[in-house]
Amino acid sequence: MTRSIWKSTAEKTNFPTLKEYINTEIAIVGGGITGVTAAYLLAKSGRKVVLLEAGTISGGTTGDSTGNLYSMIDKRLHHIQSKWDKETASNVARSRGQAVDLVERLVNEHQIDCSFKRVPWYLFSETNEKDEVIEKEIDAAADYGLPIEELHELPLPVKVSKAIKVKGQAQFNPAAFVSGLAEKIDPANCRIFENSEVHHIEKEEELVLSTATGTVTAQKVILATHTPKGIYGLQTALYPYREYAIAAKLNSGDFPDGIYWDTEADFHTSLRTYSKGNDKYVLVLGGHHKVGQEDDYSRFFRKLEQNARKYFDVSEIEYEWSAQHYKPADGLPYIGESSDDNIYIATGFSTDGLTYGVLSAMILDDQFNGRENQWSDLYKASRFTPVKSAKNFIKENINVAKQYLKDLPGKAEADSFDEIAVGQGKVVVVDDEKWAVFKDETGQVHCQSAVCTHMDCIVDWNDAEKSWDCPCHGSRFQATGEVIEGPAFSPLDKRNLDKKE
Ligand code: FES
């Protein structure tokens, strides 16, 4: 089983399951960094809030992130500058900087034990072919007043041609921060429920949120679910990708804390350290592919391990995990009400989600309290940017269309259940219908329809995470069909075939 170092080391929360009817002002779906920070701020300003988390607090993408907080972005500020303009890129950096400052204030105010520290962020090239990227980022960062330095070597056993250093960025254990903050939310104004998955949201006079054992009605809803649940036109402008991470104990060859990004390698695109007791770990992150569109998912872990051992003296790989992110078509997240329906979203964070999650909470808190927020328009969810989105929009939606074409009746991955190895899944055609069939460790076969319950794409078996992943909009389901993440509300439809090896 994959498991992140953050989820494995953070204190667990213990909030109840929703088993009642509650009427409230604001319902928040999702207990990651966006949902919990929004709940904290809104409760503090006196709003009545209910937070519903499908699993456990910080048990989703927040707990699978890098734990890095920074003003820059993975697409590079100079790309935002060329796609939008200088002012937009500057505002992105400034707004993200304010979010990092808020995390620091909350950690200090509540003494949250999450290893928060200010560290530098580095971007480096290994050969002079990518020096231009560094030079452009140096120019962009200098324009926005970020505290930068140009370097030609780093305290890393990696070859460096050119690098930029930006001081004053930050790292923490994101799961420990979110769990710690959830415990500090004013209980008089906010009730939190775990293991309370929302199956349905109905738009009546108020919004009605249903779980298996309870109901919440609310005037407004925040979908802090990474990508909005249900069917939204916006999903044509959000593109789901996965990225991989490993953590291994350093035997020797320590290097200073920092966020190290490489411009060139497919793998080890990001490096950092984390200390647990007397042990220091190196975290190596990289690999990148569209959700549900790989043949061999485990190869990413193997490649990361190979790279870790090439550069560092490490013992065994103790943690390995992957995480999902959604790239926005025009390079900026969508935060706010996407249409006039009292449902607010915060999505399209790319791999910069921890900082954008906190920023979303700040923006939504201001909006709900009638306060002006200087970043609201920059990130507004209802924006339409056909020119800035065109290139990505066309490329990514052709990709989605191809996934539907692949789903036409055709060859299955296995002709019989006997071809499925223990612990693996395959798509099998049964009576002209595609089934997602998983064989568990006891040899028991679990059958469900392979048709994604969001918008009918055929799911793909992810051998690294033991999940069914949808290549169209990124819904993911457990091996036995339950929803893990993504826009789908409902599990894969069960199919009955009593077959045992
Ligand atoms: S996530 Fe949209 S069809 Fe599967």
Side-chain angles (χ1 to χ4, degrees):
M1 289 291 288
T2 62
R3 185 104 180 129
S4 80
I5 193 167
W6 317 124
K7 287 180 180 172
S8 307
T9 53
E11 288 281 324
K12 305 281 176 286
T13 47
N14 187 24
F15 294 102
T17 299
L18 179 73
K19 289 183 182 160
E20 58 191 291
Y21 164 78
I22 305 175
N23 178 256
T24 190
E25 187 184 353
I26 301 160
I28 298 176
V29 185
I33 197 164
T34 307
V36 168
T37 311
Y40 172 89
L41 295 174
L42 289 163
K44 194 170 182 184
S45 58
R47 321 308 300 197
K48 294 293 181 196
V49 180
V50 170
L51 187 150
L52 300 168
E53 162 56 43
T56 52
I57 293 296
S58 76
T61 307
T62 294
D64 287 332
S65 63
T66 58
N68 293 329
L69 297 158
Y70 42 86
S71 298
M72 282 61 61
I73 54 169
D74 80 337
K75 273 298 268 181
R76 318 292 180 232
L77 287 173
H78 68 264
H79 279 145
I80 293 294
Q81 189 173 304
S82 52
K83 191 180 273 278
W84 292 79
D85 52 47
K86 237 177 181 176
E87 190 185 351
T88 300
S90 169
N91 286 337
V92 166
R94 286 170 54 224
S95 60
R96 288 175 56 79
Q98 286 189 358
V100 181
D101 292 345
L102 175 64
V103 173
E104 185 172 36
R105 277 205 305 279
L106 293 173
V107 168
N108 290 335
E109 184 180 337
H110 296 294
Q111 293 297 295
I112 298 173
D113 182 10
C114 63
S115 310
F116 179 94
K117 63 171 77 159
R118 290 284 184 173
V119 297
W121 170 93
Y122 302 91
L123 177 70
F124 63 95
S125 55
E126 291 184 40
T127 64
N128 56 17
E129 279 168 38
K130 287 288 175 75
D131 282 359
E132 197 189 342
V133 175
I134 306 294
E135 283 152 16
K136 283 184 179 170
E137 202 64 359
I138 287 171
D139 288 346
D143 279 349
Y144 315 141
L146 291 170
I148 59 160
E149 223 177 289
E150 186 179 334
L151 304 168
H152 291 278
E153 57 182 27
L154 292 179
L156 283 180
V158 178
K159 204 169 83 180
V160 172
S161 172
K162 198 171 251 200
I164 169 175
K165 172 182 178 180
V166 181
K167 291 184 209 152
Q169 309 308 301
Q171 287 179 330
F172 65 166
N173 177 334
F177 169 74
V178 171
S179 300
L181 186 63
E183 302 285 5
K184 301 296 178 190
I185 294 176
D186 181 358
N189 288 338
C190 176
R191 296 182 65 189
I192 299 177
F193 297 94
E194 293 182 304
N195 302 305
S196 302
E197 184 176 8
V198 174
H199 295 300
H200 189 63
I201 300 176
E202 191 73 39
K203 292 168 194 164
E204 295 179 0
E205 212 163 286
E206 290 194 303
L207 293 152
V208 183
L209 295 85
S210 308
T211 72
T213 52
T215 304
V216 173
T217 54
Q219 292 159 28
K220 295 178 193 296
V221 168
I222 297 175
L223 291 178
T225 45
H226 208 200
T227 185
K229 287 288 203 188
I231 296 174
Y232 281 77
L234 187 61
Q235 273 143 1
T236 59
L238 286 172
Y239 314 122
Y241 284 80
R242 290 198 77 73
E243 196 174 34
Y244 293 76
I246 59 169
K249 215 180 283 173
L250 272 173
N251 293 327
S252 63
D254 194 6
F255 63 94
D257 294 329
I259 304 164
Y260 298 89
W261 285 7
D262 193 337
T263 50
E264 305 197 37
D266 269 349
F267 291 90
H268 79 264
T269 50
S270 167
L271 299 167
R272 64 161 290 185
T273 52
Y274 177 67
S275 296
K276 193 176 82 167
N278 292 327
D279 296 325
K280 193 150 186 181
Y281 289 79
V282 59
L283 278 62
V284 185
L285 301 100
H288 182 82
H289 65 81
K290 278 208 82 172
V291 175
Q293 298 186 28
E294 270 294 319
D295 292 330
D296 177 8
Y297 295 82
S298 300
R299 77 185 173 92
F300 293 97
F301 291 131
R302 296 196 296 271
K303 185 70 182 167
L304 286 177
E305 176 171 2
Q306 205 180 319
N307 266 0
R309 295 198 183 285
K310 182 169 152 195
Y311 295 108
F312 303 103
D313 175 16
V314 292
S315 50
E316 87 263 34
I317 309 299
E318 284 185 39
Y319 305 96
E320 56 182 29
W321 68 99
S322 64
Q324 194 140 313
H325 59 272
Y326 293 84
K327 292 186 183 184
D330 63 10
L332 297 179
Y334 301 92
I335 302 167
E337 199 177 13
S338 69
S339 56
D340 196 17
D341 58 3
N342 288 322
I343 296 181
Y344 292 72
I345 61 172
T347 188
F349 297 163
S350 203
T351 56
D352 309 309
L354 292 172
T355 310
Y356 273 137
V358 174
L359 179 60
S360 302
M362 295 162 75
I363 291 172
L364 294 173
D365 177 45
D366 280 345
Q367 288 180 353
F368 286 17
N369 283 296
R371 296 188 296 256
E372 183 97 354
N373 184 292
Q374 60 181 319
W375 319 118
S376 281
D377 278 351
L378 176 65
Y379 298 114
K380 74 177 172 202
S382 57
R383 71 177 183 269
F384 179 53
T385 54
V387 176
K388 293 177 179 67
S389 305
K391 198 167 144 210
N392 288 334
F393 184 89
I394 292 165
K395 184 183 93 183
E396 296 283 358
N397 284 290
I398 286 175
N399 177 282
V400 171
K402 280 186 186 160
Q403 304 313 310
Y404 279 107
L405 286 175
K406 277 203 301 199
D407 298 347
L408 294 173
K411 201 170 167 341
E413 292 170 338
D415 293 326
S416 84
F417 294 177
D418 295 339
E419 292 176 32
I420 304 171
V422 164
Q424 294 299 323
K426 281 190 189 295
V427 173
V428 181
V429 176
V430 178
D431 294 338
D432 292 332
E433 187 191 26
K434 286 188 174 173
W435 286 14
V437 181
F438 167 64
K439 192 177 282 180
D440 71 20
E441 299 303 324
T442 68
Q444 174 84 39
V445 171
H446 301 263
C447 302
Q448 47 259 321
S449 166
V451 178
C452 175
T453 54
H454 177 233
M455 288 175 74
D456 297 346
C457 263
I458 297 295
V459 294
D460 187 63
W461 177 249
N462 178 334
D463 61 327
E465 294 287 355
K466 309 288 181 215
S467 60
W468 296 104
D469 297 359
C470 180
C472 286
H473 314 103
S475 288
R476 296 181 58 242
F477 304 85
Q478 290 181 19
T480 46
E482 299 79 9
V483 176
I484 300 172
E485 64 181 313
F489 271 116
S490 308
L492 297 174
D493 285 340
K494 291 281 180 215
R495 292 290 181 266
N496 286 321
L497 192 65
D498 193 14
K499 180 155 179 145
K500 237 183 161 183
E501 278 210 338

PDB file of all heavy atoms in Angstrom, residues 235 404 452-457 459 470-475 477 486-488, ligand 1:
ATOM      1  N   GLN A 235     -15.310  21.766 -16.011  1.00  0.00           N
ATOM      2  CA  GLN A 235     -14.446  20.581 -16.103  1.00  0.00           C
ATOM      3  C   GLN A 235     -13.751  20.454 -17.458  1.00  0.00           C
ATOM      4  O   GLN A 235     -12.755  19.751 -17.573  1.00  0.00           O
ATOM      5  CB  GLN A 235     -15.241  19.314 -15.755  1.00  0.00           C
ATOM      6  CG  GLN A 235     -15.231  19.067 -14.254  1.00  0.00           C
ATOM      7  CD  GLN A 235     -16.526  18.505 -13.708  1.00  0.00           C
ATOM      8  OE1 GLN A 235     -17.476  18.264 -14.456  1.00  0.00           O
ATOM      9  NE2 GLN A 235     -16.575  18.290 -12.412  1.00  0.00           N
ATOM     10  N   TYR A 404     -12.986   8.735 -24.903  1.00  0.00           N
ATOM     11  CA  TYR A 404     -14.325   8.213 -25.191  1.00  0.00           C
ATOM     12  C   TYR A 404     -14.277   7.271 -26.389  1.00  0.00           C
ATOM     13  O   TYR A 404     -14.936   6.235 -26.408  1.00  0.00           O
ATOM     14  CB  TYR A 404     -15.306   9.356 -25.451  1.00  0.00           C
ATOM     15  CG  TYR A 404     -15.840   9.987 -24.183  1.00  0.00           C
ATOM     16  CD1 TYR A 404     -15.427  11.240 -23.770  1.00  0.00           C
ATOM     17  CD2 TYR A 404     -16.765   9.312 -23.383  1.00  0.00           C
ATOM     18  CE1 TYR A 404     -15.907  11.815 -22.599  1.00  0.00           C
ATOM     19  CE2 TYR A 404     -17.262   9.883 -22.214  1.00  0.00           C
ATOM     20  CZ  TYR A 404     -16.824  11.128 -21.833  1.00  0.00           C
ATOM     21  OH  TYR A 404     -17.305  11.686 -20.667  1.00  0.00           O
ATOM     22  N   CYS A 452     -17.427   4.924 -15.709  1.00  0.00           N
ATOM     23  CA  CYS A 452     -17.315   5.949 -14.659  1.00  0.00           C
ATOM     24  C   CYS A 452     -18.680   6.584 -14.417  1.00  0.00           C
ATOM     25  O   CYS A 452     -19.403   6.916 -15.365  1.00  0.00           O
ATOM     26  CB  CYS A 452     -16.312   7.010 -15.104  1.00  0.00           C
ATOM     27  SG  CYS A 452     -16.192   8.402 -13.981  1.00  0.00           S
ATOM     28  N   THR A 453     -19.019   6.760 -13.143  1.00  0.00           N
ATOM     29  CA  THR A 453     -20.348   7.288 -12.809  1.00  0.00           C
ATOM     30  C   THR A 453     -20.428   8.808 -12.966  1.00  0.00           C
ATOM     31  O   THR A 453     -21.487   9.377 -12.727  1.00  0.00           O
ATOM     32  CB  THR A 453     -20.716   6.902 -11.356  1.00  0.00           C
ATOM     33  OG1 THR A 453     -19.653   7.354 -10.490  1.00  0.00           O
ATOM     34  CG2 THR A 453     -20.908   5.409 -11.222  1.00  0.00           C
ATOM     35  N   HIS A 454     -19.335   9.426 -13.366  1.00  0.00           N
ATOM     36  CA  HIS A 454     -19.417  10.870 -13.602  1.00  0.00           C
ATOM     37  C   HIS A 454     -20.016  11.152 -14.976  1.00  0.00           C
ATOM     38  O   HIS A 454     -21.123  11.674 -15.084  1.00  0.00           O
ATOM     39  CB  HIS A 454     -18.019  11.514 -13.473  1.00  0.00           C
ATOM     40  CG  HIS A 454     -18.013  12.978 -13.770  1.00  0.00           C
ATOM     41  ND1 HIS A 454     -17.169  13.543 -14.681  1.00  0.00           N
ATOM     42  CD2 HIS A 454     -18.764  13.999 -13.276  1.00  0.00           C
ATOM     43  CE1 HIS A 454     -17.387  14.850 -14.728  1.00  0.00           C
ATOM     44  NE2 HIS A 454     -18.341  15.150 -13.880  1.00  0.00           N
ATOM     45  N   MET A 455     -19.283  10.754 -16.047  1.00  0.00           N
ATOM     46  CA  MET A 455     -19.802  11.016 -17.394  1.00  0.00           C
ATOM     47  C   MET A 455     -19.452   9.882 -18.355  1.00  0.00           C
ATOM     48  O   MET A 455     -19.179  10.130 -19.538  1.00  0.00           O
ATOM     49  CB  MET A 455     -19.279  12.358 -17.918  1.00  0.00           C
ATOM     50  CG  MET A 455     -19.922  13.559 -17.219  1.00  0.00           C
ATOM     51  SD  MET A 455     -19.190  15.129 -17.737  1.00  0.00           S
ATOM     52  CE  MET A 455     -19.879  15.305 -19.370  1.00  0.00           C
ATOM     53  N   ASP A 456     -19.395   8.653 -17.808  1.00  0.00           N
ATOM     54  CA  ASP A 456     -19.406   7.450 -18.655  1.00  0.00           C
ATOM     55  C   ASP A 456     -18.117   7.096 -19.400  1.00  0.00           C
ATOM     56  O   ASP A 456     -18.182   6.335 -20.368  1.00  0.00           O
ATOM     57  CB  ASP A 456     -20.558   7.512 -19.674  1.00  0.00           C
ATOM     58  CG  ASP A 456     -21.907   7.541 -19.002  1.00  0.00           C
ATOM     59  OD1 ASP A 456     -21.961   7.245 -17.796  1.00  0.00           O
ATOM     60  OD2 ASP A 456     -22.901   7.858 -19.682  1.00  0.00           O
ATOM     61  N   CYS A 457     -16.970   7.616 -19.024  1.00  0.00           N
ATOM     62  CA  CYS A 457     -15.714   7.084 -19.583  1.00  0.00           C
ATOM     63  C   CYS A 457     -15.435   5.705 -18.977  1.00  0.00           C
ATOM     64  O   CYS A 457     -15.990   5.365 -17.931  1.00  0.00           O
ATOM     65  CB  CYS A 457     -14.553   8.002 -19.216  1.00  0.00           C
ATOM     66  SG  CYS A 457     -14.120   9.175 -20.492  1.00  0.00           S
ATOM     67  N   VAL A 459     -12.982   3.308 -16.930  1.00  0.00           N
ATOM     68  CA  VAL A 459     -11.879   3.487 -15.978  1.00  0.00           C
ATOM     69  C   VAL A 459     -10.693   2.591 -16.331  1.00  0.00           C
ATOM     70  O   VAL A 459     -10.834   1.618 -17.086  1.00  0.00           O
ATOM     71  CB  VAL A 459     -12.352   3.205 -14.529  1.00  0.00           C
ATOM     72  CG1 VAL A 459     -13.367   4.244 -14.095  1.00  0.00           C
ATOM     73  CG2 VAL A 459     -12.903   1.784 -14.400  1.00  0.00           C
ATOM     74  N   CYS A 470     -10.218   7.281 -13.764  1.00  0.00           N
ATOM     75  CA  CYS A 470     -10.922   7.669 -14.989  1.00  0.00           C
ATOM     76  C   CYS A 470     -10.076   8.651 -15.800  1.00  0.00           C
ATOM     77  O   CYS A 470      -9.666   9.705 -15.291  1.00  0.00           O
ATOM     78  CB  CYS A 470     -12.263   8.301 -14.643  1.00  0.00           C
ATOM     79  SG  CYS A 470     -13.132   8.786 -16.142  1.00  0.00           S
ATOM     80  N   PRO A 471      -9.823   8.338 -17.069  1.00  0.00           N
ATOM     81  CA  PRO A 471      -8.958   9.189 -17.883  1.00  0.00           C
ATOM     82  C   PRO A 471      -9.608  10.494 -18.355  1.00  0.00           C
ATOM     83  O   PRO A 471      -8.921  11.336 -18.930  1.00  0.00           O
ATOM     84  CB  PRO A 471      -8.637   8.297 -19.095  1.00  0.00           C
ATOM     85  CG  PRO A 471      -9.803   7.376 -19.200  1.00  0.00           C
ATOM     86  CD  PRO A 471     -10.291   7.147 -17.792  1.00  0.00           C
ATOM     87  N   CYS A 472     -10.901  10.654 -18.111  1.00  0.00           N
ATOM     88  CA  CYS A 472     -11.546  11.858 -18.662  1.00  0.00           C
ATOM     89  C   CYS A 472     -11.437  13.079 -17.742  1.00  0.00           C
ATOM     90  O   CYS A 472     -10.891  14.104 -18.126  1.00  0.00           O
ATOM     91  CB  CYS A 472     -12.994  11.554 -19.010  1.00  0.00           C
ATOM     92  SG  CYS A 472     -13.073  10.539 -20.502  1.00  0.00           S
ATOM     93  N   HIS A 473     -11.966  12.970 -16.505  1.00  0.00           N
ATOM     94  CA  HIS A 473     -11.912  14.139 -15.611  1.00  0.00           C
ATOM     95  C   HIS A 473     -11.310  13.809 -14.256  1.00  0.00           C
ATOM     96  O   HIS A 473     -11.448  14.579 -13.302  1.00  0.00           O
ATOM     97  CB  HIS A 473     -13.317  14.742 -15.428  1.00  0.00           C
ATOM     98  CG  HIS A 473     -14.066  14.891 -16.707  1.00  0.00           C
ATOM     99  ND1 HIS A 473     -15.078  14.035 -17.088  1.00  0.00           N
ATOM    100  CD2 HIS A 473     -13.898  15.766 -17.726  1.00  0.00           C
ATOM    101  CE1 HIS A 473     -15.517  14.388 -18.288  1.00  0.00           C
ATOM    102  NE2 HIS A 473     -14.820  15.425 -18.698  1.00  0.00           N
ATOM    103  N   GLY A 474     -10.712  12.606 -14.149  1.00  0.00           N
ATOM    104  CA  GLY A 474      -9.901  12.323 -12.964  1.00  0.00           C
ATOM    105  C   GLY A 474     -10.605  11.682 -11.783  1.00  0.00           C
ATOM    106  O   GLY A 474     -10.030  11.622 -10.696  1.00  0.00           O
ATOM    107  N   SER A 475     -11.840  11.199 -11.950  1.00  0.00           N
ATOM    108  CA  SER A 475     -12.439  10.476 -10.825  1.00  0.00           C
ATOM    109  C   SER A 475     -11.631   9.218 -10.562  1.00  0.00           C
ATOM    110  O   SER A 475     -11.149   8.566 -11.494  1.00  0.00           O
ATOM    111  CB  SER A 475     -13.886  10.071 -11.138  1.00  0.00           C
ATOM    112  OG  SER A 475     -14.704  11.210 -11.126  1.00  0.00           O
ATOM    113  N   PHE A 477     -11.568   5.526  -8.106  1.00  0.00           N
ATOM    114  CA  PHE A 477     -12.398   4.614  -7.314  1.00  0.00           C
ATOM    115  C   PHE A 477     -11.501   3.545  -6.700  1.00  0.00           C
ATOM    116  O   PHE A 477     -10.504   3.127  -7.311  1.00  0.00           O
ATOM    117  CB  PHE A 477     -13.440   3.930  -8.213  1.00  0.00           C
ATOM    118  CG  PHE A 477     -14.306   4.897  -8.979  1.00  0.00           C
ATOM    119  CD1 PHE A 477     -13.879   5.427 -10.207  1.00  0.00           C
ATOM    120  CD2 PHE A 477     -15.530   5.307  -8.471  1.00  0.00           C
ATOM    121  CE1 PHE A 477     -14.664   6.334 -10.914  1.00  0.00           C
ATOM    122  CE2 PHE A 477     -16.329   6.213  -9.172  1.00  0.00           C
ATOM    123  CZ  PHE A 477     -15.888   6.724 -10.404  1.00  0.00           C
ATOM    124  N   GLY A 486     -12.297  13.049  -7.041  1.00  0.00           N
ATOM    125  CA  GLY A 486     -12.730  13.446  -8.379  1.00  0.00           C
ATOM    126  C   GLY A 486     -14.181  13.875  -8.397  1.00  0.00           C
ATOM    127  O   GLY A 486     -14.853  13.890  -7.363  1.00  0.00           O
ATOM    128  N   PRO A 487     -14.672  14.217  -9.579  1.00  0.00           N
ATOM    129  CA  PRO A 487     -16.021  14.775  -9.663  1.00  0.00           C
ATOM    130  C   PRO A 487     -17.159  13.764  -9.462  1.00  0.00           C
ATOM    131  O   PRO A 487     -18.288  14.163  -9.226  1.00  0.00           O
ATOM    132  CB  PRO A 487     -16.072  15.359 -11.083  1.00  0.00           C
ATOM    133  CG  PRO A 487     -15.038  14.617 -11.855  1.00  0.00           C
ATOM    134  CD  PRO A 487     -13.957  14.273 -10.871  1.00  0.00           C
ATOM    135  N   ALA A 488     -16.888  12.468  -9.554  1.00  0.00           N
ATOM    136  CA  ALA A 488     -17.975  11.472  -9.411  1.00  0.00           C
ATOM    137  C   ALA A 488     -18.501  11.470  -7.974  1.00  0.00           C
ATOM    138  O   ALA A 488     -17.725  11.485  -7.022  1.00  0.00           O
ATOM    139  CB  ALA A 488     -17.460  10.089  -9.782  1.00  0.00           C
TER     140      ALA A 488
HETATM  141  S1  FES B   1     -14.397  11.630 -14.303  1.00  0.00           S
HETATM  142 FE1  FES B   1     -15.686  12.370 -15.839  1.00  0.00          FE
HETATM  143  S2  FES B   1     -16.220  10.614 -16.948  1.00  0.00           S
HETATM  144 FE2  FES B   1     -14.997   9.877 -15.338  1.00  0.00          FE
END
